[in-house]
Amino acid sequence: MSIPFLDLGAAYRELETEIDAAVARVLESGWYILGPEIEAFESEWAAYCETKHAVGLANGLDALTLALRALDIGSGDEVIVPSNTYIATWLAVTEVGATLVPVEPDPTTYNIDPARIEGAITPRTRALLPVHLYGQPADMDPILDIARRHDLRVIEDGAQAHGARYKRRRIGAHGDVVCWSFYPGKNLGALGDGGAVTTNSADIADRIRVLRNYGSRVKYVNEVQGRNSRLDPIQAAVLRAKLPHLDAWTDRRRLIAAAYTEGLQDCGLTLPQVPDGINPAWHLYVVRSPDRNGLEKRLREAGVATLIHYPIPPHMQKAYAGLGLAPKALPLARQMADEVLSLPIGPQLPPVNAARVIESVRAAV
């Protein structure tokens, strides 16, 4: 029997009655763009994230892009980003015409290293864009201190951090705005694409609401050049059905992560390290091995599916060849890409399967 990396079908089956009823509710309502379902989800998501405002959007990339636009960041501005992240973080910055300034990660957490940020700041720097990678919050206190001292905006990429906490407070608005993805594989996932921002700023929330709807708050009256980036009511209804279960599902992920950490000690792998005061969402459980490709092959042969997050760092992608960054320019990002391997983890992973993953990994190394 093979062990999938993530069983989305099992997640649906666990909540089949609630999800089907939510979808039917929208179909019967006849309201298929924005409307009450979106407003209800925005209110519930803001409350869950312990923030004042949430705005539903079409996807996580749009959340990042519209957050930058709402803060008037564009051509001539620099934005400090992690070198070790999914490419969407970078794409949003270049989409608004700003300049990327990549900063290497802390090798123990894989998140942007606050100690390296200040040296990357120039007179053109406008914002810091930390990513809560793999569901583990970035070290926000020093990041926010740097931002305050240099009068910079902080935009958080929370696409993998649903329910995570930094020093007892949920990820939701440590900085100016947090950007979320509800891609199906996320901890809170829709049945298609979806995204949102959360913020404590009424002004930022209002700007993003206008930008997501063709630059309009009154039909056929366009204040700015916006875009169509509206969260679909069916997806909002699905997310509302799942949201009450998110904490319980996160607890299941934490139990699996704890079992992995205990069961994989002293087997030659670098295991995730969680600093004091951090409570990850465990979107991913990522190990490192100098023989990553061999380990992945042996696990596949043993029937254990794994994934690599991410095999090519942004600066080595053809899409960013124009930056002129050599592969060795960001050695830590390249090392992560060469060594990381994500093990199966999800709230529907049976404990017996988690035990088999541990057994298979120990045999494979």
Side-chain angles (χ1 to χ4, degrees), residues 51-103:
T51 54
K52 295 180 180 177
H53 308 280
V55 182
L57 301 166
N59 54 68
L61 176 55
D62 279 1
L64 291 162
T65 304
L66 295 186
L68 289 161
R69 286 194 60 188
L71 296 175
D72 295 320
I73 294 171
S75 179
D77 299 327
E78 293 179 351
V79 179
I80 291 177
V81 297
S83 64
N84 182 47
T85 185
Y86 182 56
I87 199 170
T89 313
W90 286 38
L91 289 172
V93 175
T94 51
E95 185 173 338
V96 301
T99 300
L100 293 157
V101 180
V103 168

Side-chain angles (χ1 to χ4, degrees), residues 83-85 104-108 110 116 134 270 286-293 308-316 326-341:
S83 64
N84 182 47
T85 185
E104 290 273 74
D106 179 332
T108 62
Y110 313 138
R116 298 172 182 265
Y134 309 150
T270 301
V286 179
V287 300
R288 283 173 51 197
S289 170
D291 183 31
R292 188 270 312 286
N293 293 341
I308 300 169
H309 295 88
Y310 301 95
I312 306 173
H315 78 284
M316 292 176 62
K328 294 182 179 180
L330 299 166
L332 289 177
R334 183 174 182 179
Q335 183 182 11
M336 301 300 107
D338 288 343
E339 295 184 356
V340 295
L341 187 69

